[in-house]
Amino acid sequence: MIERGDTLLAARGLTDADDRLVNADEPLAELQIACGGRIPGMLAVPELLELVRQARGMGLRIAREFGAHDGEELVTGFVRIQPRPDSEGAGCEVLVENWQRHPRTLAGAGEFAEQLDAIDRASAEASGRLDARQRVQLVNAGAPDAQELEQAIAREPGRVWTDYVTLQGIAHRQPLHWRLLDGAHCLLPGSQRSWRIRLLPLGSESTAPAGFEWLLVPEEPLAEATGHGDEEKQAASGHSRLIGSALTPVLRQPIARIIANAETIRARLAGPLREEYTEYAGTIAAAGQHLSGMLDDLADLEVVEAPGFSTAREKVDLADAARRAAGILGVRAQGRDIVLDLPGEGDDCLATAEFRRVLQVLMNVIGNAIAYSPAGSRVTVRTHRAEGEEGQHRVAVTVSDEGPGVTEQQATRIFDKFERLGRDNDGGSGLGLYISRRLARAMGGDLTVSGPESGAEVGGAVFRLDLPAYPAGKPA
Amino acid sequence: MAQPATSISGDLTSVEGLLREELARGDRSLRGVAPVLAHMLASPGNAMVTDAIVARVRGMLEHLARQLLAAERAERMGDAARGSADPPEDVDALAARLASDHVVLGHSYVLAMESHLAERLERRASVDPVLSPLLQELIASEKPATAELAMATLAAQSRFIQSQRRMDMPLAELPAELFLSVIECWQNAASESNREDVPRGAVDRLKRSYDEGASRGGLLARLVSAMGNGAVAALELEHAGLALFATALASRTRQPRDNAVIACHESQAARLALAFRAAGMDAAAIERQFLVLEPGISVPEVIGKLAPDRAQAILAQSEARVMDIER
């Protein structure tokens, strides 16, 4: 193990032999998710992945700088990677020091605009030339769904470009000044996609261009096989997949754009702005994040509700799972001064379940405990062994907090779908506990809640995840 | 030499082949004379290759070879191996083998150059090669973690200067890629010379004890990274000392550290000026740095007009072949 007595350490993560990130502290976990990855899931931070592969390939402890974009900011740090021996899973331990975020530095406005133009030129799927009065001189359709536009222009050449397309959100009589049309959105005949128009003036005089470079940039890739090959989606095949696979990809993109634009406004990247407005932008961004989290929940919901849904049966060390979940949530707990009291190292309480699902349930329950108990209080996680009915061995994890607790009436409703217990402004979807209980039951266990244990000094809710025990004496 | 018309005995063929090979080797040596001689004649003051540098590089390669052979011996013989030395011809053969790896050779050269430049800076501008004012400040940092890292860096830097004086190069100080190249050289040399293969245990032991983050290069990079935006301070040569300076410059201009070191040689003024500009320094600041390093060189003021990312792009195009380290 690499020494890490110092406080420069910002995050620790573990990867397995296939470079999947199996667990990570919060900053690293957030970066992984911002880069489009999951936990556990393939390491999604390209520079880190490269370094982890390198270290694993060489079998050497390496120490390198790395940088990554999380979509909003440049994240830099110094990473030390230690390959683990085969006996410990043949992955790598990843330690990140000096985690730093830098707001994206924008080059001079002119240069920045040039870069944007270059990006649009590269991503345009149809392009052409317009004369000084915006009449189409020629067009080249690269994408199949732009062919119809090309044919329309061939049938009736020489008209203003806006005659061939349906402009969106611009009702003014055409043609408008080119500056107002540059960046407009439109629909093309025969195309399902939304397109963005760029008009780049030609000639030296910018007030009266001699003509225009006409770029048609699609807003999304041409829809074809959209399957992500996700095992969960395959498991859900045959089930009506309205939200998870049908709506999620469609919603994700506009929501991501709302968040990105709101963040841009909030950070005043486009220029100075009054304080209130940046706050509004912050609210918009937060609402967007909420929607985005909701989408994830809805996708999960569909998976657990699919008729064929099942979980893997593997040996899970509950204390270890609890510690990992707490590790990921550690920063959030610190932020609220909440002490996480976890089962100790020697505590081995083995269940038969699927590790990542157990982790998901525990993260949900511990996350709730952190969110709903008073700042400065304590959240206690314990493992238990119990004799079940008919001699079946059961194991359990309990998570108890010092929050307001749950009444008996609430306890019956809390696991219902979309139940928020009257809270409506804290970013929850009302699905977390429902999904968690479904997961627990799919693994042959259950998730229950009770009020404070009799005799406990402080009140609070106690959530209990029961699971079948891993048979004693069975080889690991 | 005319070919004998009659059938040739097997012996004679092999003799002929041997001579041919020798002659080719001689040709190669001869070809090397002119460029080396021309280089040394053309740079009377501070050549990039001097006797001192050659001697140092040779010493370092031999030291590497000795460490590898010692590891092998220890693996085979255990404690009995202690104290005895490897035959000089084995050391020479392995050192020659390492010298034929251009990446290993290049890095050794750069380290020799770094210590040479550090000595020069000490003489000329009284820049302490081990403890610079910046490092002193970092050791006094309020953050215990930074202070600890700075202390470790100080120790590593002092070991480096010491081992350079002894013309040594500890295996553990190599960058990871080079460490592997050296191990590979060693294994190839063993299998080609019909000796026994290098014992697997020896290789594993060396690999296990290796930690790039604890090497001088690793510590310097971690320290610079810990300084965050304050790392700009390390771009002041007099203040930071050559070691931190080179690491900070490399980090800010995203080039290998070896290139940053080489840029400090007087014949590489353009490389250094471009690197400074790529790091975002203005003409006046660049001028000041050159005054410390090479008072004889004047920097054209137009350098300030070059956009930093252009400077970066030009730098990236340079080949800098001697230290072709993939990063």
Side-chain angles (χ1 to χ4, degrees), chain B residues 19 34 79 95-96 112 148 163 191 199 202 212 234 269 324:
Chain B
L19 285 171
D79 279 348
E148 197 184 316
S163 64
S191 62
E212 193 175 43
D324 228 342

Side-chain angles (χ1 to χ4, degrees), chain A residues 34-201:
Chain A
C35 288
R38 290 165 157 252
I39 298 173
M42 194 67 186
L43 191 55
V45 189
E47 274 197 45
L48 273 186
L49 177 61
E50 186 60 34
L51 290 173
V52 164
R53 285 198 170 136
Q54 219 175 325
R56 199 165 49 75
M58 297 195 294
L60 289 181
R61 277 181 271 182
I62 64 170
R64 299 290 156 91
E65 274 183 294
F66 85 101
H69 271 287
D70 70 352
E72 287 154 29
E73 286 175 311
L74 179 66
V75 173
T76 62
F78 198 89
V79 62
R80 305 177 64 196
I81 302 172
Q82 159 146 36
R84 295 184 297 164
D86 291 347
S87 57
E88 291 172 31
C92 291
E93 182 182 15
V94 178
L95 299 177
V96 184
E97 295 175 348
N98 303 315
W99 191 277
Q100 278 168 352
R101 304 178 145 271
H102 316 266
R104 216 169 8 181
T105 48
L106 294 183
E111 213 169 307
F112 187 54
E114 252 174 56
Q115 282 174 9
L116 286 183
D117 291 352
I119 292 169
D120 284 336
R121 278 197 191 97
S123 49
E125 291 188 22
S127 63
R129 285 292 166 111
L130 307 178
D131 68 9
R133 298 178 59 190
Q134 298 187 32
R135 285 178 302 215
V136 179
Q137 292 175 312
L138 67 95
V139 64
N140 277 311
D145 59 343
Q147 298 297 338
E148 217 172 298
L149 173 75
E150 195 178 305
Q151 285 156 15
I153 292 171
R155 277 196 302 275
E156 290 181 68
R159 297 172 62 173
V160 175
W161 66 271
T162 49
D163 290 354
Y164 302 104
V165 303
T166 318
L167 280 174
Q168 288 180 304
I170 297 180
H172 196 279
R173 217 171 60 85
Q174 309 307 329
L176 273 172
H177 188 274
W178 67 272
R179 281 191 197 278
L180 299 176
L181 289 169
D182 183 22
H185 289 80
C186 71
L187 297 173
L188 303 189
S191 169
Q192 303 289 319
R193 299 189 280 178
S194 170
W195 297 71
R196 190 162 48 87
I197 300 295
R198 291 299 317 273
L199 300 177
L200 307 178

